[in-house]
């Protein structure tokens, strides 16, 4: 019999919440978090109920503003922007550096909030905080050269991001944008992360960073956060449906924009034999249940290699460790080493279960299905947000799993016989952020890779969003506007010489830098 598990000491939501009340009393009340606008924490908005995907425990919900209040917040952010853009760079650098020190000091509380609010295992939650801090330090050290001949935008940068990487994507972007001389506005993701973002924002605001943090529905706040004339740039990370509406708005207005959208990232296998390396890689591809914009949910495999592929893939996927990210045998044990915990909520779990069942009904072949018995759970806990790993062969074309990113621990495999079929299958979603081709011959990779519609392409290795000087973007419908990463992130949120054409996908031009 497996051991009976218990909650790790000090990790209940009540423990995390009490620590927030102690560390940041200006932003946390007994029953809610506050919005930050006009340089003050405001007890406005309607706080919605929310639960942790980890075990259904009630957690802090977003205090949703109405449209009129959001407009006031944006107008106040413009006033902050007009003052901040004239603050000398050495002072901006010092304030951002002090914020990073504060984030590092509260690293474990920020990580615990990520575990509780969005279900990240402890290892990945800490990594999210560390990537934010270390990544922005790289900009602090090199910002002088990046800003040479450049100036802040005419208005603040508006940030609308998905819930999965609050620190290493959203907070990272906010601090670099402020370092470059802009006031920043951020909307908390609807699905989770409000307490983590609020704590990070407290630490930035205390150092004088001009940040606005508001909550609300995208439809209610888009007029203020996307279309308002005060906004100098819109930075969006999310799905294609919402991103398309944002793209239309910014294109109509001629507004600077960075729109990172999803794509079906694919892993091709062609004339390949290093199965040991592939087998060691497979579990890593399931980090955080593939709830990443750079996850690989699709394998495109040469039919004649399918038996060898399965012999490498199936034993690897059976080693995946899932369950409650805070469940241990003894209260003082270390955090459990898991590949992933829950998906973001019970509704997403049901959507994935329904998509898998429908695909099988229509002809997909189930090759692997994990069971709850394989997972680590507390006795009697709510498991409605958990999805065990699933692998399907040949999902039908009518299924969303054929053409869209599932954003969950569901792999699909498509078999092909020719190089033309390989490329068509790897380009199924009209553009992607990353792709990988496993093939023994470098010449084969060099010949096929230019035809794969992804911004970054690995030769037998996964690619990621990257940090520091690594560029990031997407092809096709996976990206609109300026590319980021390295000095491109600073260029995207500053003004350069007259007539400058930024690297990216714009309505009037496409300029693609070399992604190493």
């Amino acid at each position: 019999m497996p051991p009976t598990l218990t909650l790790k000491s000090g990790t209940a939501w009540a423990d995390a919440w009490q620590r927030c009340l102690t560390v940041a009393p200006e932003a946390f009340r007994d029953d809610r978090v506050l919005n930050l606008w006009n340089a003050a924490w405001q007890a406005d908005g309607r706080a919605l109920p929310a639960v942790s995907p980890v075990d259904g425990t009630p957690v802090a919900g977003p205090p949703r503003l109405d449209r009129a209040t959001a407009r006031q917040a944006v107008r106040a952010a413009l006033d902050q922007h007009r003052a901040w853009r004239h603050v000398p760079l050495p002072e901006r650098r010092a304030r951002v550096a002090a914020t990073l020190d504060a984030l590092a000091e509260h690293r474990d509380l920020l990580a615990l909030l990520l575990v509780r609010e969005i279900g990240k295992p402890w290892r990945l939650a800490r990594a999210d905080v560390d990537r934010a801090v270390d990544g922005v330090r790289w900009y602090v050290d090199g910002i002088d050269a990046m800003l040479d001949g450049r100036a802040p935008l005419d208005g603040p940068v508006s940030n609308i991001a998905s819930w999965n990487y609050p620190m290493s994507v959203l907070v990272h972007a906010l601090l670099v944008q402020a370092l470059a001389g802009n006031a920043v506005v951020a909307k908390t993701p609807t699905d989770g992360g409000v307490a983590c973002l609020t704590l990070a924002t407290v630490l930035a605001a205390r150092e004088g960073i001009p940040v606005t943090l508001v909550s609300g529905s995208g439809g209610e706040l888009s007029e203020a956060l996307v279309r308002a004339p005060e906004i100098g740039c819109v930075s969006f990370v999310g799905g294609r449906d919402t991103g398309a509406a944002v793209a239309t708005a910014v294109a109509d207005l001629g507004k600077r924009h960075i729109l990172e959208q999803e794509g079906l990232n694919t892993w091709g296998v062609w004339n390949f034999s290093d199965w040991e390396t592939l087998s060691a890689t497979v579990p890593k591809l399931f980090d955080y249940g593939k709830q990443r914009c750079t996850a690989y949910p699709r394998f495109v495999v040469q039919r004649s290699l399918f038996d060898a592929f399965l012999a490498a893939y199936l034993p690897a996927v059976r080693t995946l460790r899932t369950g409650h990210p805070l469940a241990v045998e003894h209260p003082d044990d270390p955090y459990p080493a898991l590949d992933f915990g829950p998906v973001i909520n019970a509704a997403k779990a049901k959507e994935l279960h329904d998509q898998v069942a429908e695909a099988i009904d229509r002809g997909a072949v189930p090759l692997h299905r994990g069971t709850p018995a394989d997972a680590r759970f507390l006795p009697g806990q709510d498991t409605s947000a958990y999805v065990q790993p699933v692998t399907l062969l040949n999902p039908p074309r009518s299924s969303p799993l054929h053409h869209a990113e599932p954003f969950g621990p569901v792999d699909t495999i498509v078999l092909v016989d020719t190089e033309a079929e390989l490329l068509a299958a790897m380009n199924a979603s009209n553009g992607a952020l990353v792709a990988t081709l496993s093939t023994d011959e470098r010449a084969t990779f060099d010949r096929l890779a230019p035809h794969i519609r992804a911004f970054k392409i690995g030769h037998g290795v996964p690619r990621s969003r990257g940090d520091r000087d690594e560029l990031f973007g997407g092809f096709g419908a996976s990206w609109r506007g300026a590319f980021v990463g390295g000095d491109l992130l600073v260029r995207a949120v500053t003004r350069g010489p007259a007539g400058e054409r930024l690297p990216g996908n714009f309505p009037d031009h496409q300029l693609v830098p070399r992604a190493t």
Side-chain angles (χ1 to χ4, degrees):
M1 291 290 293
T4 300
L5 302 179
T6 188
L7 189 67
K8 180 172 172 59
S9 178
T11 64
W13 174 253
D15 298 320
W17 187 252
Q18 185 57 52
R19 291 168 65 183
C20 290
L21 291 173
T22 301
V23 171
E26 63 264 50
F28 290 83
R29 297 285 171 85
D30 288 340
D31 61 341
R32 61 175 295 170
V33 297
L34 307 185
N35 291 296
L36 173 63
W37 59 274
N38 197 24
W41 291 97
Q42 314 273 358
D44 51 13
R46 181 169 59 93
L48 296 184
V51 297
S52 168
V54 169
D55 53 15
T57 301
V59 298
R64 298 175 66 155
L65 296 181
D66 58 29
R67 186 174 307 178
T69 308
R71 288 286 294 120
Q72 293 181 53
V74 169
R75 283 194 291 268
L78 178 61
D79 293 336
Q80 289 181 298
H81 179 83
R82 287 170 171 166
W84 178 253
R85 62 181 298 171
H86 297 297
V87 172
L89 178 57
E91 183 177 344
R92 298 202 306 265
R93 187 193 296 112
R95 293 189 183 189
V96 172
T99 301
L100 298 177
D101 291 342
L103 292 172
E105 178 184 353
H106 296 287
R107 171 202 193 197
D108 282 357
L109 177 53
L110 290 163
L112 179 57
L113 292 171
L114 291 178
V115 176
R116 275 289 171 189
E117 293 191 285
I118 62 174
K120 286 202 168 186
W122 181 250
R123 171 181 62 87
L124 298 178
R126 292 183 100 190
D128 194 17
V129 178
D130 291 344
R131 284 183 62 190
V133 173
D134 296 343
V136 179
R137 285 199 195 281
W138 182 85
Y139 283 93
V140 168
D141 292 340
I143 192 63
D144 294 82
M146 296 182 202
L147 286 178
D148 186 29
R150 308 193 68 80
L153 299 175
D154 294 332
V157 181
S158 176
N159 293 268
I160 304 169
S162 57
W163 45 265
N164 53 342
Y165 284 89
M167 294 296 300
S168 62
V169 173
L170 183 51
V171 171
H172 177 281
L174 296 176
L175 293 177
V176 175
Q177 292 160 7
L179 182 64
N182 303 290
V184 292
V185 180
K187 185 181 93 65
T188 60
T190 302
D191 287 326
V194 61
C196 177
L197 282 170
T198 300
L199 178 58
T201 303
V202 166
L203 302 177
R206 285 178 180 173
E207 302 301 335
I209 304 297
V211 57
T212 295
L213 183 68
V214 296
S215 294
S217 72
E220 186 76 8
L221 301 192
S222 63
E223 188 69 28
L225 301 184
V226 175
R227 293 181 172 274
E230 293 91 345
I231 296 296
C233 176
V234 176
S235 177
F236 171 86
V237 180
R240 289 193 179 184
D241 290 344
T242 304
V246 175
T248 299
V250 295
D252 291 345
L253 298 168
K255 195 183 292 291
R256 183 77 64 93
H257 56 283
I258 306 162
L259 309 181
E260 176 188 331
Q261 301 171 128
E262 65 189 17
L264 183 63
N265 306 316
T266 58
W267 191 299
V269 179
W270 187 262
N271 292 345
F272 178 70
S273 62
D274 187 5
W275 302 111
E276 183 177 353
T277 297
L278 180 64
S279 185
T281 302
V282 166
K284 301 173 186 176
L285 302 181
F286 277 86
D287 270 359
Y288 196 31
K290 303 209 173 194
Q291 296 177 104
R292 299 176 286 124
C293 65
T294 54
Y296 288 84
R298 167 67 51 78
F299 286 92
V300 181
V301 181
Q302 187 175 8
R303 190 183 305 273
S304 61
L305 299 179
F306 185 47
D307 57 340
F309 173 84
L310 281 185
Y313 175 90
L314 288 177
V317 79
R318 290 174 184 139
T319 68
L320 292 172
R321 300 155 299 177
T322 68
H324 191 305
L326 305 171
V328 293
E329 292 186 35
H330 306 99
D332 294 328
D333 282 352
Y335 289 88
L338 301 178
D339 295 293
F340 61 92
V343 296
I344 187 57
N345 53 43
K348 179 63 180 180
K350 182 180 185 304
E351 174 189 288
L352 289 170
H353 287 307
D354 290 347
Q355 288 179 352
V356 168
E358 182 182 52
I360 293 172
D361 285 345
R362 296 181 180 181
V365 179
L367 299 176
H368 172 75
R369 282 189 277 194
T371 68
D374 302 326
R376 296 168 52 92
F377 292 131
L378 297 177
Q381 78 161 81
D382 184 325
T383 61
S384 59
Y386 288 80
V387 177
Q388 298 308 310
V390 178
T391 306
L392 301 179
L393 174 65
N394 288 339
R397 292 184 176 274
S398 59
S399 168
L401 296 177
H402 178 81
H403 56 78
E405 182 180 11
F407 230 65
V410 179
D411 271 353
T412 56
I413 301 172
V414 172
L415 303 182
V416 294
D417 296 299
T418 67
E419 290 183 356
E421 289 178 323
L422 173 81
L423 294 172
M426 293 189 71
N427 294 328
S429 68
N430 183 26
L433 305 176
V434 297
T436 291
L437 179 60
S438 288
T439 185
D440 289 345
E441 296 294 333
R442 180 72 200 195
T444 301
F445 176 83
D446 290 341
R447 177 167 50 81
L448 295 178
H451 302 286
I452 299 172
R453 295 284 292 162
F455 187 79
K456 292 182 180 181
I457 304 172
H459 184 190
V461 295
R463 300 304 307 269
S464 69
R465 200 176 199 276
D467 295 299
R468 301 176 177 85
D469 59 350
E470 191 171 355
L471 307 183
F472 193 56
F475 282 171
S478 68
W479 198 283
R480 304 294 185 196
F483 294 146
V484 296
D487 68 330
L488 292 191
L489 175 53
V490 174
R491 290 171 65 183
V493 295
T494 54
R495 290 186 293 108
E500 178 184 45
R501 286 158 53 94
L502 293 175
N505 297 327
F506 292 93
D508 61 347
H509 77 273
Q510 181 184 60
L511 182 60
V512 181
R514 182 178 178 83
T516 58

